[in-house]
Amino acid sequence: MTASRRTPGRRPGGPDTRGEILLAARESFADKGFAATSIRAVARQAEVDAALVHHYFDSKEELFVQAMSLPLDPRQVAARILDGPREELGRRIVTVFLGVWESDEGQQRMKAMLRSVVTSDDVARLMREGMTSMILQPVSQLLDVPDAMLRVSLIAGHLIGMALTRYVVELEPVASADLSTLVDRMGPAIQSYVDG
Amino acid sequence: MTASRRTPGRRPGGPDTRGEILLAARESFADKGFAATSIRAVARQAEVDAALVHHYFDSKEELFVQAMSLPLDPRQVAARILDGPREELGRRIVTVFLGVWESDEGQQRMKAMLRSVVTSDDVARLMREGMTSMILQPVSQLLDVPDAMLRVSLIAGHLIGMALTRYVVELEPVASADLSTLVDRMGPAIQSYVDG
């Protein structure tokens, strides 16, 4: 595989082209970060035409989601959080976030990602940039309050910390609390950030 | 060192006795957990008299703090949190927690602990047990509200998640926010758990 990637000139799509594009994307995201990575640069690194990258991945964001093996698209998460009345935003944020973690596959991927974030500066930077542009900024733009980004980042920290204590450290009684109890308890705290 | 620990019979205190006791304590905490570990058992494992363990460490909790290289004693953290008016508990919790992280040495140790917790089930279990008995239970006993332990665990999760985003992921604007801004923003959210 590595040898074929080094062949000069642009190659047409082969059976493993999608995998090679993902590999190039991972390298590019890791080297340059999310913002400085473009579809064009990934295509160049994978030695394929940019149109071929577009054939497999409809946007840079989609490429990021697939390259990082995220359990779901952060843009969908943002859309689901924003879809509903503002006075229930706190409860909705908790519900959507827990939904990602509660499936077996989602939980495995999120745990793996959390471990990578804590042990690798590169992964931490990538997640920071990807989450900021795909979730934190869209949600903060909806909130017409001072320090919107700070509030949204603190909400993100609260959710990540809850997941860490519930699914990784398995701290009781958070670990065995049912979902509706968590939404009832956390909803108002999250809402207090939203309302300011 | 290992050879001398295997010598049968109890040894008097030597130059490295304290280190050997800590080693035995780490093994015992890891094998049996916090609750099932006793000063007596640690003394037996280190092949010294229990009185000698008491000479170096005044309690099992102190032994845990030293064995886990905690940046400060969780019992002091609990005491400082509980010392003051209840309506300022939210702000005080944030202030005390940030104080631990803001010194260079504290931050290094807390980061190392966070990495260990996320990557080792044994360390996760230890921290869970130690934190529960030394911080979460004393604080929850003060709160005369339903689900006190759940609330206190969610507060702990919020703090840990904020530390993860601020000091490890370095997510902006949490990473560069000054302490008083963080206390102003987080205090009310934490207080909402306390007041219920």
Side-chain angles (χ1 to χ4, degrees):
Chain A
M1 285 302 110
T2 312
S4 76
R5 285 185 57 226
R6 285 185 188 143
T7 308
R10 295 188 171 174
R11 300 175 306 104
D16 221 31
T17 306
R18 187 175 180 280
E20 304 236 339
I21 293 170
L22 282 177
L23 188 63
R26 253 176 241 122
E27 287 175 12
S28 181
F29 283 131
D31 286 351
K32 305 183 209 164
F34 180 80
T37 292
S38 64
I39 291 267
R40 188 178 298 270
V42 170
R44 206 159 38 231
Q45 182 144 356
E47 295 174 357
V48 298
D49 197 89
L52 198 58
V53 179
H54 278 295
H55 167 72
Y56 288 108
F57 308 97
D58 67 3
S59 63
K60 180 170 80 170
E61 285 75 12
E62 177 64 20
L63 195 53
F64 181 82
V65 168
Q66 298 299 329
M68 302 292 287
S69 295
L70 299 185
L72 90 177
D73 190 325
R75 292 166 301 171
Q76 286 173 21
V77 172
R80 281 158 58 188
I81 285 171
L82 298 180
D83 178 29
R86 183 178 173 130
E87 63 271 21
E88 289 169 16
L89 198 48
R91 296 177 60 89
R92 215 157 53 237
I93 287 172
V94 181
T95 305
V96 169
F97 182 79
L98 282 169
V100 179
W101 279 85
E102 285 292 316
S103 79
D104 282 350
E105 197 205 342
Q107 193 173 135
Q108 277 188 345
R109 289 207 200 171
M110 292 292 276
K111 270 190 188 176
M113 200 177 67
L114 202 49
R115 292 202 166 101
S116 306
V117 162
V118 172
T119 50
S120 156
D121 288 345
D122 282 346
V123 177
R125 181 168 66 110
L126 271 182
M127 290 309 302
R128 179 174 71 224
E129 295 186 8
M131 293 298 117
T132 298
S133 74
M134 283 187 265
I135 298 188
L136 306 185
Q137 279 169 353
V139 174
S140 77
Q141 275 158 17
L142 180 97
L143 305 183
D144 184 25
V145 288
D147 292 337
M149 268 301 277
L150 179 63
R151 291 160 191 262
V152 173
S153 317
L154 288 170
I155 291 173
H158 191 355
L159 295 171
I160 293 166
M162 182 273 289
L164 184 66
T165 51
R166 176 176 168 89
Y167 302 105
V168 180
V169 180
E170 299 180 4
L171 181 74
E172 291 296 356
V174 175
S176 54
D178 59 30
L179 297 187
S180 65
T181 305
L182 287 175
V183 173
D184 287 346
R185 282 280 166 248
M186 293 181 72
I190 304 288
Q191 191 72 32
S192 79
Y193 283 117
V194 173
D195 294 336
Chain B
M1 284 304 108
T2 312
S4 76
R5 285 187 58 228
R6 285 187 187 140
T7 309
R10 297 188 167 171
R11 298 177 306 105
D16 221 28
T17 306
R18 188 174 179 280
E20 305 237 337
I21 293 170
L22 282 177
L23 187 64
R26 256 176 237 122
E27 288 175 10
S28 182
F29 283 131
D31 288 350
K32 304 182 210 165
F34 180 80
T37 291
S38 64
I39 292 267
R40 186 178 299 269
V42 171
R44 206 159 39 229
Q45 182 145 355
E47 294 174 358
V48 298
D49 198 90
L52 198 57
V53 179
H54 277 294
H55 167 73
Y56 288 107
F57 309 97
D58 66 4
S59 62
K60 180 170 79 170
E61 285 76 12
E62 177 64 20
L63 196 53
F64 181 82
V65 169
Q66 298 299 330
M68 303 292 288
S69 295
L70 298 185
L72 87 179
D73 190 325
R75 292 165 302 172
Q76 285 174 21
V77 172
R80 280 158 56 188
I81 286 171
L82 298 179
D83 179 29
R86 184 179 173 131
E87 63 272 20
E88 290 168 16
L89 198 49
R91 295 177 62 88
R92 215 157 51 239
I93 287 172
V94 181
T95 305
V96 169
F97 182 79
L98 282 169
V100 178
W101 279 85
E102 285 291 316
S103 79
D104 283 350
E105 196 205 341
Q107 192 172 137
Q108 278 188 345
R109 288 206 199 173
M110 292 293 273
K111 271 190 186 175
M113 201 177 65
L114 203 50
R115 293 202 164 100
S116 306
V117 161
V118 173
T119 50
S120 156
D121 288 346
D122 281 347
V123 177
R125 182 168 65 112
L126 270 181
M127 290 310 302
R128 180 174 72 223
E129 295 185 9
M131 293 299 119
T132 297
S133 75
M134 283 186 266
I135 297 187
L136 305 185
Q137 279 169 355
V139 174
S140 76
Q141 276 158 17
L142 179 97
L143 304 183
D144 185 24
V145 287
D147 293 337
M149 267 301 276
L150 179 62
R151 291 161 189 263
V152 173
S153 315
L154 288 171
I155 291 172
H158 191 355
L159 296 170
I160 293 166
M162 181 272 289
L164 184 66
T165 51
R166 177 175 167 89
Y167 301 104
V168 180
V169 180
E170 298 179 5
L171 182 75
E172 291 297 352
V174 175
S176 55
D178 60 29
L179 296 188
S180 66
T181 305
L182 286 175
V183 173
D184 287 346
R185 283 280 167 248
M186 293 181 70
I190 304 287
Q191 191 73 31
S192 80
Y193 283 117
V194 171
D195 295 336

